[in-house]
Amino acid sequence: MKTLYRPVGLAEMKLMLDLKLCGFPPRLPEQPIFYPVLNKPYADQIAREWNTKDAFSGYVGFVTEFAVSSPYIDHFAEQVVGASHHKELWIPAEEMDEFNHHLVGPIRVVDVYYGTGYVGLIPEAPVFEGLDSLEQFLIWKNILEFNAMDFHAEIKEHWQHIFVNYAYWCGADFSLAGLTEAEKNGVLLTMKEYWKEHFPDFTLFGH
């Protein structure tokens, strides 16, 4: 068994969440190779230096960690593509179903890097329609203040938006919107508590 890492942008993370983090989506026609890497520093470097500056990645890099069973994964030779720690595997796109079949356990997000252009997933639901990640958080605060039961229910409905934004909200400054750090943390803690009720086996990444 090998532990591998892959930095992914917002669009790919959305597809992975559609799969409940149990697999990677099929490659696009212009992506004939799937490139998992063999160490976290290399994945961190790509996520931090590339994904956060890339519009197609949504200006965010999620570092994922996952295990793949042997002997299947041992068939792929390690490739060094730069510095000595730039090690990766080259998995043909047509192998993705088989690759996913050999995943051991769920895919985990172990780090995330946000760029200055990040706005997150833009919901289509009436409550959050058209709002970026910071605006969404202010709506979450209002829902919690108005009705904790509605807050609890909305978490289950909009879980993907929470998943990609939670670490961003943890580090965001809402003082210009009139929120104190204590108020922000109160919303985040309540959100995390309710999250555990809905998704006990699905870890929410963030402080």
Side-chain angles (χ1 to χ4, degrees):
M1 185 172 70
K2 283 185 179 177
T3 297
L4 302 173
Y5 301 85
R6 177 169 170 78
V8 302
L10 187 62
E12 187 167 356
M13 176 54 67
K14 171 67 170 65
L15 295 174
M16 292 165 62
L17 291 175
D18 289 341
L19 297 172
K20 302 295 190 295
L21 292 182
C22 289
F24 290 93
R27 300 296 86 195
L28 298 174
E30 64 271 22
Q31 298 173 323
I33 302 294
F34 176 70
Y35 301 96
V37 305
L38 276 76
N39 59 80
K40 187 173 181 292
Y42 184 23
D44 286 340
Q45 182 181 356
I46 298 170
R48 183 178 59 248
E49 298 180 8
W50 171 258
N51 293 105
T52 60
K53 300 175 177 66
D54 177 45
F56 184 75
S57 297
Y59 302 104
V60 60
F62 297 92
V63 179
T64 65
E65 179 186 72
F66 48 97
V68 186
S69 65
S70 296
Y72 170 78
I73 197 61
D74 302 324
H75 294 158
F76 300 95
E78 296 184 6
Q79 310 289 336
V80 180
V81 294
S84 59
H85 72 285
H86 291 171
K87 296 179 179 180
E88 57 189 40
L89 302 181
W90 296 352
I91 314 296
E94 58 269 22
E95 284 268 343
M96 287 311 302
D97 284 345
E98 186 70 11
F99 184 88
N100 286 334
H101 179 73
H102 285 89
L103 289 175
V104 180
I107 300 164
R108 299 170 296 283
V109 173
V110 294
D111 228 325
V112 58
Y113 300 90
Y114 297 98
T116 56
Y118 178 76
V119 297
L121 296 173
I122 305 299
E124 299 178 357
V127 177
F128 300 97
E129 185 176 6
L131 301 180
D132 66 24
S133 57
L134 295 178
E135 294 168 325
Q136 290 172 39
F137 187 79
L138 298 177
I139 297 298
W140 280 111
K141 174 183 176 292
N142 292 338
I143 294 173
L144 178 59
E145 290 179 344
F146 183 74
N147 190 317
M149 293 290 290
D150 287 347
F151 187 85
H152 188 281
E154 292 290 346
I155 285 175
K156 189 173 184 179
E157 180 70 20
H158 301 289
W159 67 277
Q160 292 190 353
H161 301 88
I162 293 173
F163 188 88
V164 299
N165 287 329
Y166 192 83
Y168 183 71
W169 291 333
C170 287
D173 180 5
F174 288 93
S175 59
L176 292 179
L179 264 68
T180 66
E181 194 71 9
E183 288 173 325
K184 180 190 83 170
N185 288 336
V187 176
L188 290 171
L189 287 172
T190 304
M191 185 176 284
K192 200 162 194 176
E193 290 172 3
Y194 287 180
W195 176 276
K196 290 177 181 177
E197 294 183 31
H198 287 306
F199 310 103
D201 301 318
F202 199 36
T203 302
L204 184 64
F205 182 80
H207 300 301

